[in-house]
Amino acid sequence: MTQTNPIIELRGVSFSYGEGARAALDHVSLSISEGDFVGVIGPSGAGKSTLAAVMSGAIPHHFTGQLYGATLIDGKDTCEVTLTDISRIVGSVLQDIDAQMVASVVEDEMLFGLENFGVPHDQIEERISQTLATVGISDLREREIATLSGGQKQKVAIAAILALAPRVLVLDEPTAALDPASSTLVFETLRKVNELAGITIVVIEQKVALLSKYCDRVLVMNEGALAFDGEPHEVFSHASELRSMGVDSPRVARMANSLAQRGVIAAGSAPCLNVAEAKELVADLVAGHVPTPGEKDVAAAARAGSRHVPAARPHAEGAEPVVELSGVNFSYPSGGASVNDLEMRVYPGELVGIVGQNGAGKTTLTKLLNGLLRPSSGSVRIAGMDTHAVPTSAIAARCATPFHNP
Ligand code: ADP
């Protein structure tokens, strides 16, 4: 097999955003071959976005700071070519897609990039319709971007960049605001363009199960340096080192690592990364004859059941709810019901998580709680105050909201 040249190569790259600032990247060397599907993971502040900025040419062309080492894109040093030349090879989808998108309608968003890139007019229609079809959003072509769900918007952002025919796609946490089903669909789209069009994918992602399922290589960043670089099974066999950096491993990998620690399976065995692999491992163990002492421990623990028991409510018996929603309905002027006949009580001291698909009404519920919205019918009471009866400032004094896009 002939060795292909790397499409991206970092040689001892260090970068700090300003004089005296600590190194956001610290002597990073790596090379990515055309067609790779690479995931990047690491705790927050580890340098992942900075790495993405180096790969997309935003460093050195957009961010100023102190840069050492060399980054080569398709063999050319990013310091010696223009950002436009780099972006013909590397397309990047930023973390804040709302900031990235410039048009209000999907088709215009795609046209904007194509016209900016000087794509001949007679090719534009084909590029748009083909890319929309590849990403599976042909039906969204005429839609207002503001009316799309998070998952749909993410796909539009990907399509707008793909239409420019890059050879590499760098994405910064494309699923950060998405529910599990939409996150999987985004990764399915990435797999499709990787497999069908041979586009190299570099994706920063916190969802380890997705990374291990779709990527053929995982880079772990920690304090600006590359801590691990390898095939997912190899990287997640270092679960305890990863944990000490604040990086999770897939649940099944943690299970396999703990079986290895107890001597049930050979130390150093590759961990399982998905349910199918875990099933195979368990079937092999069950088929084995004399259980090892470790196996006995595991079986006893399994018989004893989970140690997790639902915690007793921390609030005092008879306490009044601090948040009380009764028969709450709300719909936005432009659409159908967003919150429908909602009953909810939260007591002092409780820690309550709200989960749901994109578009399920979670943000609307938050806005009903902090008084940015009032119910169309029913009542919302915060610390005894009916939100219909008091100004938003009085509610804000009792209910604080950090929004997901600070
Ligand atoms: P991650 O993406 O892993 O969260 P980042 O690359 O965003 O990490 O950050 C790495 C370091 O660089 C952090 O110390 C962060 O505070 C700093 N940093 C990131 N962006 C900027 C910026 N635009 N200006 C100054 N410092 C920055």
Side-chain angles (χ1 to χ4, degrees), residues 214-229:
Y214 290 91
C215 300
D216 33 54
R217 178 173 166 199
V218 174
L219 309 178
V220 183
M221 296 291 301
N222 190 37
E223 296 182 352
L226 195 54
F228 293 103
D229 173 358

Side-chain angles (χ1 to χ4, degrees), residues 86-319:
I86 299 169
S87 50
R88 287 185 192 281
I89 300 174
V90 182
S92 62
V93 180
L94 305 179
Q95 195 168 38
D96 183 358
I97 46 169
D98 288 328
Q100 172 155 354
M101 297 214 254
V102 289
S104 54
V105 173
V106 172
E107 181 178 53
D108 296 344
E109 180 65 32
M110 307 206 43
L111 268 174
F112 180 82
L114 290 165
E115 285 176 348
N116 258 349
F117 261 47
V119 174
H121 274 260
D122 57 353
Q123 293 179 18
I124 285 186
E125 171 51 34
E126 198 187 338
R127 287 260 197 119
I128 294 183
S129 49
Q130 256 190 11
T131 316
L132 288 174
T134 305
V135 179
I137 51 168
S138 303
D139 55 324
L140 300 183
R141 184 170 176 151
E142 319 284 336
R143 285 280 297 272
E144 291 270 342
I145 292 173
T147 66
L148 300 178
S149 74
Q152 290 170 325
K153 263 197 213 171
Q154 193 58 250
K155 286 185 173 183
V156 171
I158 293 173
I161 300 297
L162 276 181
L164 307 175
R167 288 161 62 189
V168 182
L169 203 51
V170 175
L171 305 103
D172 194 348
E173 297 206 35
T175 73
L178 303 187
D179 60 58
S182 310
S183 303
T184 302
L185 289 176
V186 166
F187 267 77
E188 285 293 330
T189 305
L190 297 180
R191 173 183 272 173
K192 196 164 154 193
V193 298
N194 175 252
E195 285 179 355
L196 297 185
I199 293 178
T200 308
I201 308 284
V202 179
V203 56
I204 299 177
E205 178 59 60
Q206 299 292 359
K207 294 178 180 140
V208 280
L210 282 178
L211 275 189
S212 53
K213 179 168 177 198
Y214 290 91
C215 300
D216 33 54
R217 178 173 166 199
V218 174
L219 309 178
V220 183
M221 296 291 301
N222 190 37
E223 296 182 352
L226 195 54
F228 293 103
D229 173 358
E231 195 272 330
H233 288 93
E234 202 278 315
V235 167
F236 290 114
S237 67
H238 301 279
S240 53
E241 288 114 303
L242 293 175
R243 174 153 279 213
S244 66
M245 293 171 200
V247 175
D248 232 348
S249 299
R251 246 182 300 178
V252 282
R254 297 204 303 266
M255 179 202 83
N257 287 329
S258 121
L259 289 178
Q261 272 163 15
R262 290 158 186 243
V264 178
I265 57 175
S269 310
C272 1
L273 292 186
N274 52 51
V275 174
E277 289 178 6
K279 214 167 133 187
E280 207 172 299
L281 171 67
V282 172
D284 284 350
L285 285 176
V286 171
H289 357 273
V290 188
T292 65
E295 279 173 297
K296 279 187 197 143
D297 289 349
V298 174
R303 276 194 302 277
S306 164
R307 270 184 298 156
H308 177 81
V309 285
R313 280 200 159 170
H315 62 81
E317 189 81 18

Side-chain angles (χ1 to χ4, degrees), residues 2-48:
T2 51
Q3 184 73 29
T4 52
N5 287 329
I7 185 83
I8 295 181
E9 189 178 359
L10 273 68
R11 295 183 183 160
V13 174
S14 296
F15 181 77
S16 42
Y17 283 89
E19 196 89 19
R22 82 174 175 88
L25 285 186
D26 192 7
H27 294 92
V28 176
S29 294
L30 58 91
S31 84
I32 293 176
S33 303
E34 197 138 28
D36 279 357
F37 194 139
V38 182
V40 183
I41 195 167
S44 115
K48 304 180 296 296

Side-chain angles (χ1 to χ4, degrees), residues 356-400:
Q357 296 250 319
N358 293 121
K362 303 180 295 297
T363 304
T364 306
L365 169 59
T366 332
K367 290 181 179 167
L368 286 164
L369 296 182
N370 63 20
L372 287 180
L373 297 175
R374 304 292 200 284
S376 348
S377 62
S379 72
V380 175
R381 298 177 77 82
I382 303 295
M385 293 180 291
D386 187 325
T387 60
H388 268 302
V390 291
T392 306
S393 56
I395 304 165
R398 308 306 301 272
C399 178

